[in-house]
Amino acid sequence: MSPRAHDRGRLRKRLAKAFFRRSVHDVAPDLIGATLLFNGVGGRIVEVEAYHHTDPAAHSYRGPTDRNAVMYGPPGYAYIYRSYGIHWCLNFVCEPEGSASAVLIRAIEPTAGLAAMRRRRGTAEERLLCSGPGRLCAALGITGADNGLALDAPPFELLARAGSVEIVAGPRVGITKAADLPWRYGLQGSRFVSKAFGSKA
DNA sequence: TGCCCGATTAACT
DNA sequence: GTTAATCGGGCAA
């Protein structure tokens, strides 16, 4: 029996680099419901935001710098930056190389490695373990040292969602420029999002 | 070189 | 509701 036949039905498809080589506005909603693991710790993605290089709120809007260099590389890699000098935030580089566009991973529903997450986060509240970009990185143990790593190889593991999901969109969180663009996507009804979605986008 | 602001969070009043 | 923690980028001098 081939490995493929063995895996069928048991394991979901791993997201390859080609998955990310599309518009951020296609990749972002397609990530909702996918499973993100880092060293085996993680869960189901329930909230993301799209950042296009033409977007004034994007780090790549004003051109390449030391910090955003990974955004200018090929798709399918992790762009990790420090936020407010304290937190780490995880992004997936998308679109053809040079587009400098990415998707910010804002929240996941914890499903694997709960004990490790609680230890790193210092709280037992499951809902608060990964509900926010900074909290998510803390729970999974992701830091700036992981900036530039490929998403289709360890320590990362990304699995496509199983079946269909209902997706909601709304304005992004914590930005002042282009704050009206509805480029935040979430899993309908999830209690693990960082902030509730309005009824209308 | 110095100063202000930000894709945040937790601990305050 | 407000504020501190604390780092890189952007812009003024």
Side-chain angles (χ1 to χ4, degrees):
Chain A
M1 159 193 323
S2 73
R4 281 188 60 146
H6 175 73
D7 289 345
R8 198 185 311 139
R10 266 180 59 83
L11 300 179
R12 279 176 287 148
K13 182 180 153 198
R14 198 180 64 181
L15 296 183
K17 290 195 173 68
F19 174 88
F20 299 97
R21 193 177 215 85
R22 301 173 295 143
S23 162
V24 275
H25 303 303
D26 292 331
V27 176
D30 282 353
L31 281 170
I32 299 300
T35 295
L36 163 66
L37 298 174
F38 187 77
N39 287 319
V41 176
R44 183 164 66 148
I45 297 173
V46 297
E47 182 185 348
V48 302
E49 284 177 359
Y51 285 87
H52 191 257
H53 68 281
T54 56
D55 169 7
H59 284 178
S60 53
Y61 183 63
R62 290 174 184 83
T65 66
D66 285 346
R67 179 174 67 158
N68 66 23
V70 174
M71 289 185 79
Y72 287 81
Y77 288 81
Y79 164 49
I80 300 163
Y81 70 92
R82 200 187 273 286
S83 173
Y84 289 86
I86 304 171
H87 312 288
W88 295 108
C89 292
L90 171 66
N91 297 251
F92 296 164
V93 177
C94 295
E95 309 204 353
E97 180 167 357
S99 172
S101 301
V103 174
L104 169 70
I105 311 304
R106 286 193 57 89
I108 67 177
E109 174 183 338
T111 62
L114 276 286
M117 292 188 193
R118 290 195 172 99
R119 173 165 33 83
R120 293 180 182 132
R121 290 274 297 112
T123 178
E125 269 296 333
E126 191 171 329
R127 198 181 60 80
L128 298 177
L129 289 179
C130 304
S131 59
R135 291 166 173 171
L136 185 160
C137 285
L140 271 57
I142 294 172
T143 72
D146 306 305
N147 187 34
L149 292 183
L151 298 172
D152 57 357
F156 279 105
E157 188 174 2
L158 273 164
L159 304 171
R161 67 178 169 231
S164 62
V165 293
E166 197 172 338
I167 294 167
V168 286
R172 294 174 292 181
V173 177
I175 58 172
T176 54
K177 303 159 195 160
D180 53 315
L181 298 175
W183 290 352
R184 174 178 179 239
Y185 301 92
L187 179 63
Q188 166 70 41
S190 174
R191 64 194 177 96
F192 293 96
V193 298
S194 64
K195 191 178 167 204
F197 283 77
S199 51
K200 188 199 172 289

